[in-house]
Amino acid sequence: MAVQERASAAAAVQPPVTERITVLAWLKHNLFSTWYNSLLTILVGYLLYLVLVPVFRWAVLDATVSGDSKEACDFAGACWTLVKVRFGQYVYGLYPEDQRWRVNLALAIAAVAMVPLFLERFRHRLTYAVGLVLVYPLVGYTLFYGGWLGLPVVETPRWGGLFLTLVIAGVGITASFPLGILLALGRRSEMPVIRSLCVAFIELVRGVPLVTILFMASVMLPLFLPAGVNFDKLMRALVGVALFSAAYMAEVVRGGLQAIPKGQYEAAMALGLGYWQMTGLIVLPQALRLVIPGIVNTFIGLFKDTSLVTIIGLFDLLGMAKLIVTDPRWLGLAAESYIFAAFGFWIFCYAMSRYSQHVERRLSAGERR
Amino acid sequence: MTGASGEPIIIMRDVHKWFGEFHVLKGINLEVGKSQKVVVCGPSGSGKSTMIRCINRLEEHQRGEIIVDGIELTSDVKNVEAIRREVGMVFQSFNLFPHLTVLENLILAPMWVRRTPRKEAEELAMSLLERVKIPEQAHKYPGQLSGGQQQRVAIARALCMKPKIMLFDEPTSALDPEMVKEVLDVMIELANEGMTMVVVTHEMGFAKSVADFVVFMDDGEIVEVAPPSVFFTSPKSDRTKLFLSQILQH
């Protein structure tokens, strides 16, 4: 009798209780749940109102975009006319206007070439990526610099703006990633010479500001080179940025390597895998997945650190923003210029951040519980 | 000790090992013949795991000789890799590769170490998964399997390299009791097919049914070696008797 009752009670399975969440209910629960929360909500709301409304009014409502010169702006709001008129310089720097199509073409080629890397079903992505990294610099160099195929030369001091930022960041990221991995592996090596060299490099490079590295690369390097041999200024900046970032990347990767349980190494060794097979197939895939936040952090930092090339006379996005403001025809519009530059940086950094979250989500599927 | 199977496939002569100051292996002498099953037991800290890990160079011995399948185990990388190809190992904590599916776990070593083509490796892997009775799990990730299933995958993974010797380091110690049987069944089948096995375990039932001889280790030394029929009924050493009385309580 009792068993049957229990059975029928179990059979009457009830659906979970769902509450219908209305806006008012949400507000009450999250913002006005207790008296002090309510007070805080009102206070914060007031502060937001004090700050955001004037900013919005200045940046959007009262702003001017039309016209060709400063005269067109009415100074109640932001003068985005500056940005509109000088947009080309923000993006291309001092690159000659009639040659800008080359930059566009090169960046379009890069964008299209990167598409296969995002296709999940494409099996040979790693080989393709390596190939791309080896081939694209030639394409980029030809189009950006010119000098053959009938393209006129555009010297590197004329490269600037967002285009220069992308070049430096792109080269920096692409070079520092494998270099950082090698340094991290070297630092954990059991061979004393390799380990000491890697440690020395990492500690030395991390210990000095990027500015000094760029400065030394640009000012001191020519002193050491024989007369007549002159490295291109941009090249020096690229090397400096890549080495600097590699040292940081090495430590991030090393953190990931340390987190891999010893059992993984042992299982790989017991199966007969050699060092590079074990590292490439077992250890790095797991270690890199673990430290994606740290890696992306380093990339984003690098992207913004490219602004330091102003110290050696190159004008990246921020440098151009500063340069444009010095034009007497646009005096007094520093705020607009810098805000636009900041916005430019933010777009790219946020895109990197979102992409990394997507990668993390995709890679955790099926991972250890 | 060499038994009826002729030339021993594992020879350990006067093997010593220290971890820093701690003398963990104190003169180990052991010979295992082809197709023999050896069970190694003893209290924790006795050096049993260290001893079998020396066989495939996961630990380095400081003195003495170890010869596996005719190849001497030295710091020469070529020797070590040759030996590791012929010696499979199953770990207490499974150590499956969590970022690969079960099938990928299995085909990795044959493809990269023995250069087997992918298709052949996959066929071998599937046949081994059927042998350990979990072919339907081939495309799952290790994290989605139970402990017993994971250990069976680990056994299949080691077998994919077609080793001559299989080492087991407490393969069932991390499993729930219900899953111990399914793993032991696989090991018994493997034993009956003629694989040379060295098993560190506390599962005395397994030792009684399958072992050719049982090795009792205590405090870094081999105290007693005997076939199970003798070992469990009339052990010679007092230390063995003490150990047996403790583990055979229940």
Side-chain angles (χ1 to χ4, degrees), chain A residues 5-17:
Chain A
E5 281 170 11
R6 238 176 284 144
S8 60
V13 175
Q14 294 171 327
V17 177

PDB file of all heavy atoms in Angstrom, chain A residues 5-17:
ATOM      1  N   GLU A   5       1.599   4.178  -2.911  1.00  0.00           N
ATOM      2  CA  GLU A   5       1.385   5.626  -2.718  1.00  0.00           C
ATOM      3  C   GLU A   5       2.611   6.410  -3.117  1.00  0.00           C
ATOM      4  O   GLU A   5       2.526   7.413  -3.792  1.00  0.00           O
ATOM      5  CB  GLU A   5       1.091   5.910  -1.237  1.00  0.00           C
ATOM      6  CG  GLU A   5      -0.329   5.600  -0.850  1.00  0.00           C
ATOM      7  CD  GLU A   5      -0.520   5.664   0.678  1.00  0.00           C
ATOM      8  OE1 GLU A   5       0.391   6.151   1.372  1.00  0.00           O
ATOM      9  OE2 GLU A   5      -1.570   5.240   1.136  1.00  0.00           O
ATOM     10  N   ARG A   6       3.786   5.859  -2.654  1.00  0.00           N
ATOM     11  CA  ARG A   6       5.026   6.559  -2.980  1.00  0.00           C
ATOM     12  C   ARG A   6       5.239   6.594  -4.489  1.00  0.00           C
ATOM     13  O   ARG A   6       5.662   7.574  -5.057  1.00  0.00           O
ATOM     14  CB  ARG A   6       6.205   5.846  -2.314  1.00  0.00           C
ATOM     15  CG  ARG A   6       6.977   6.745  -1.385  1.00  0.00           C
ATOM     16  CD  ARG A   6       8.056   6.002  -0.673  1.00  0.00           C
ATOM     17  NE  ARG A   6       7.531   5.178   0.400  1.00  0.00           N
ATOM     18  CZ  ARG A   6       8.005   3.996   0.734  1.00  0.00           C
ATOM     19  NH1 ARG A   6       9.005   3.482   0.064  1.00  0.00           N
ATOM     20  NH2 ARG A   6       7.482   3.310   1.724  1.00  0.00           N
ATOM     21  N   ALA A   7       4.908   5.467  -5.127  1.00  0.00           N
ATOM     22  CA  ALA A   7       5.101   5.390  -6.579  1.00  0.00           C
ATOM     23  C   ALA A   7       4.254   6.427  -7.290  1.00  0.00           C
ATOM     24  O   ALA A   7       4.724   7.120  -8.186  1.00  0.00           O
ATOM     25  CB  ALA A   7       4.783   3.994  -7.062  1.00  0.00           C
ATOM     26  N   SER A   8       2.991   6.535  -6.859  1.00  0.00           N
ATOM     27  CA  SER A   8       2.134   7.495  -7.575  1.00  0.00           C
ATOM     28  C   SER A   8       2.550   8.920  -7.272  1.00  0.00           C
ATOM     29  O   SER A   8       2.437   9.803  -8.096  1.00  0.00           O
ATOM     30  CB  SER A   8       0.657   7.272  -7.207  1.00  0.00           C
ATOM     31  OG  SER A   8       0.491   7.463  -5.821  1.00  0.00           O
ATOM     32  N   ALA A   9       3.065   9.143  -6.078  1.00  0.00           N
ATOM     33  CA  ALA A   9       3.552  10.495  -5.766  1.00  0.00           C
ATOM     34  C   ALA A   9       4.752  10.824  -6.651  1.00  0.00           C
ATOM     35  O   ALA A   9       4.872  11.926  -7.158  1.00  0.00           O
ATOM     36  CB  ALA A   9       3.930  10.585  -4.298  1.00  0.00           C
ATOM     37  N   ALA A  10       5.615   9.819  -6.820  1.00  0.00           N
ATOM     38  CA  ALA A  10       6.780  10.056  -7.677  1.00  0.00           C
ATOM     39  C   ALA A  10       6.348  10.280  -9.118  1.00  0.00           C
ATOM     40  O   ALA A  10       6.977  11.048  -9.838  1.00  0.00           O
ATOM     41  CB  ALA A  10       7.721   8.864  -7.591  1.00  0.00           C
ATOM     42  N   ALA A  11       5.251   9.606  -9.512  1.00  0.00           N
ATOM     43  CA  ALA A  11       4.814   9.733 -10.907  1.00  0.00           C
ATOM     44  C   ALA A  11       4.286  11.128 -11.188  1.00  0.00           C
ATOM     45  O   ALA A  11       4.368  11.615 -12.308  1.00  0.00           O
ATOM     46  CB  ALA A  11       3.739   8.695 -11.207  1.00  0.00           C
ATOM     47  N   ALA A  12       3.743  11.788 -10.164  1.00  0.00           N
ATOM     48  CA  ALA A  12       3.194  13.131 -10.400  1.00  0.00           C
ATOM     49  C   ALA A  12       4.333  14.135 -10.370  1.00  0.00           C
ATOM     50  O   ALA A  12       4.430  14.968  -9.478  1.00  0.00           O
ATOM     51  CB  ALA A  12       2.148  13.458  -9.336  1.00  0.00           C
ATOM     52  N   VAL A  13       5.216  14.054 -11.359  1.00  0.00           N
ATOM     53  CA  VAL A  13       6.388  14.942 -11.406  1.00  0.00           C
ATOM     54  C   VAL A  13       5.946  16.336 -11.768  1.00  0.00           C
ATOM     55  O   VAL A  13       5.191  16.533 -12.711  1.00  0.00           O
ATOM     56  CB  VAL A  13       7.404  14.431 -12.445  1.00  0.00           C
ATOM     57  CG1 VAL A  13       8.556  15.408 -12.574  1.00  0.00           C
ATOM     58  CG2 VAL A  13       7.920  13.057 -12.043  1.00  0.00           C
ATOM     59  N   GLN A  14       6.410  17.262 -10.997  1.00  0.00           N
ATOM     60  CA  GLN A  14       5.956  18.631 -11.234  1.00  0.00           C
ATOM     61  C   GLN A  14       6.981  19.414 -12.045  1.00  0.00           C
ATOM     62  O   GLN A  14       8.171  19.257 -11.844  1.00  0.00           O
ATOM     63  CB  GLN A  14       5.726  19.325  -9.906  1.00  0.00           C
ATOM     64  CG  GLN A  14       4.579  18.707  -9.128  1.00  0.00           C
ATOM     65  CD  GLN A  14       4.501  19.269  -7.726  1.00  0.00           C
ATOM     66  OE1 GLN A  14       5.524  19.592  -7.144  1.00  0.00           O
ATOM     67  NE2 GLN A  14       3.300  19.393  -7.225  1.00  0.00           N
ATOM     68  N   PRO A  15       6.521  20.264 -12.931  1.00  0.00           N
ATOM     69  CA  PRO A  15       7.444  21.119 -13.688  1.00  0.00           C
ATOM     70  C   PRO A  15       8.071  22.151 -12.766  1.00  0.00           C
ATOM     71  O   PRO A  15       7.506  22.464 -11.719  1.00  0.00           O
ATOM     72  CB  PRO A  15       6.545  21.789 -14.735  1.00  0.00           C
ATOM     73  CG  PRO A  15       5.188  21.772 -14.115  1.00  0.00           C
ATOM     74  CD  PRO A  15       5.110  20.556 -13.263  1.00  0.00           C
ATOM     75  N   PRO A  16       9.266  22.658 -13.128  1.00  0.00           N
ATOM     76  CA  PRO A  16       9.890  23.646 -12.254  1.00  0.00           C
ATOM     77  C   PRO A  16       9.064  24.923 -12.213  1.00  0.00           C
ATOM     78  O   PRO A  16       8.361  25.254 -13.165  1.00  0.00           O
ATOM     79  CB  PRO A  16      11.241  23.917 -12.920  1.00  0.00           C
ATOM     80  CG  PRO A  16      11.070  23.491 -14.307  1.00  0.00           C
ATOM     81  CD  PRO A  16      10.065  22.397 -14.317  1.00  0.00           C
ATOM     82  N   VAL A  17       9.156  25.588 -11.077  1.00  0.00           N
ATOM     83  CA  VAL A  17       8.374  26.812 -10.905  1.00  0.00           C
ATOM     84  C   VAL A  17       9.074  27.944 -11.651  1.00  0.00           C
ATOM     85  O   VAL A  17      10.240  28.224 -11.444  1.00  0.00           O
ATOM     86  CB  VAL A  17       8.297  27.165  -9.408  1.00  0.00           C
ATOM     87  CG1 VAL A  17       7.557  28.471  -9.227  1.00  0.00           C
ATOM     88  CG2 VAL A  17       7.609  26.034  -8.648  1.00  0.00           C
TER      89      VAL A  17
END
